[in-house]
Amino acid sequence: MTIQTELIGETAVEFPCPPLGAAELSAAEAERMAGMFKALADPVRLRLFSRVAAHSSGEASVCDIQNVGVSQPTVSHHLKKLREAGLIISERRGTWVYCRVAPGVLPAMAQMLSPRDMHIN
Amino acid sequence: MTIQTELIGETAVEFPCPPLGAAELSAAEAERMAGMFKALADPVRLRLFSRVAAHSSGEASVCDIQNVGVSQPTVSHHLKKLREAGLIISERRGTWVYCRVAPGVLPAMAQMLSPRDMHIN
């Protein structure tokens, strides 16, 4: 038996992003980076993202992460926002949807927020 | 001559925050961390924060950073939001207001976004 797999949406974020403390941001860079921060600026969305990031297998089914006190359509809405911001990747396998953190996202965001000394020295 | 100095506002954020990939966030942790991301989720606010963080002396006068294409009252509004989120500290010295990144903010936010492996190993 073959299980059909399908990637849902596309990763919209380009990396790397410059460290905030290393140079002044251009308007275009600020626009792009603000979009990523905006995706994490909602407590429910942040908890969903954290559940995906913390899942032991590196990816989580939508069933695994939806117990955050909101309805299933609201979970889907938030996952869509995370996907559009390029923070997670979703894949349908058979009847289940699995999510994982997009490759490189966490190191790139951590690098944006690294103290200046780490980049100058 | 003595120059009057006055701290404006207070740092509202408590550190440390847990890494997103190390464990699932509680609702309270998510609320607190989402507030910080929200403060950086606006392009103009992010540029102002970047200008403070990148300033060679470690702090910037409001004059130094206000050339981001918005009015001075809008700059003041954004600086207030950054201050309320605990991301910057403002100090009035004589007739000038100076801003700097709140101590520990950038490493704490970078730690939140560190890949899981950095915390487990």
Side-chain angles (χ1 to χ4, degrees), chain B residues 37-118:
Chain B
F37 288 122
K38 192 170 184 180
L40 296 177
D42 177 279
V44 171
R45 211 145 59 221
L46 192 57
R47 287 184 77 194
L48 286 170
F49 182 74
S50 165
R51 284 182 175 217
V52 173
H55 207 268
S56 57
S57 67
E59 66 175 11
S61 78
V62 172
C63 278
D64 291 335
I65 58 174
Q66 68 184 352
N67 182 23
V68 288
V70 295
S71 68
Q72 195 275 326
T74 303
V75 168
S76 295
H77 164 79
H78 284 309
L79 291 177
K80 184 165 181 272
K81 291 281 182 190
L82 289 170
R83 208 156 51 227
E84 286 172 351
L87 297 182
I88 65 166
I89 292 172
S90 297
E91 189 176 43
R92 183 182 298 281
R93 272 185 242 139
T95 54
W96 297 98
V97 173
Y98 295 85
C99 304
R100 60 180 182 275
V101 176
V105 158
L106 285 174
M109 291 190 82
Q111 157 108 347
M112 271 190 244
L113 293 161
S114 300
R116 181 171 42 189
D117 294 349
M118 288 176 64

Side-chain angles (χ1 to χ4, degrees), chain A:
Chain A
M1 189 182 89
T2 307
I3 296 175
Q4 291 274 327
T5 67
E6 177 200 354
L7 267 181
I8 302 169
E10 286 176 40
T11 302
V13 178
E14 288 170 28
F15 294 109
C17 297
L20 287 179
E24 291 177 9
L25 296 182
S26 70
E29 286 168 339
E31 194 76 43
R32 183 156 55 93
M33 292 161 73
M36 281 189 276
F37 288 122
K38 193 170 183 180
L40 297 177
D42 177 279
V44 171
R45 211 145 60 220
L46 193 57
R47 287 184 77 192
L48 287 170
F49 182 75
S50 165
R51 285 183 176 216
V52 173
H55 207 269
S56 58
S57 67
E59 67 175 12
S61 78
V62 172
C63 277
D64 291 335
I65 58 174
Q66 68 183 354
N67 182 24
V68 287
V70 295
S71 68
Q72 196 275 327
T74 303
V75 168
S76 296
H77 164 79
H78 284 308
L79 291 177
K80 183 165 180 272
K81 291 281 182 189
L82 288 170
R83 209 158 50 228
E84 286 172 351
L87 297 182
I88 65 167
I89 291 172
S90 297
E91 189 175 44
R92 185 182 298 280
R93 272 185 241 138
T95 53
W96 297 100
V97 173
Y98 295 84
C99 303
R100 59 180 183 274
V101 176
V105 158
L106 285 174
M109 291 191 82
Q111 157 109 347
M112 271 189 242
L113 293 161
S114 300
R116 180 171 43 190
D117 294 350
M118 288 176 62
H119 302 279
I120 286 177
N121 295 332

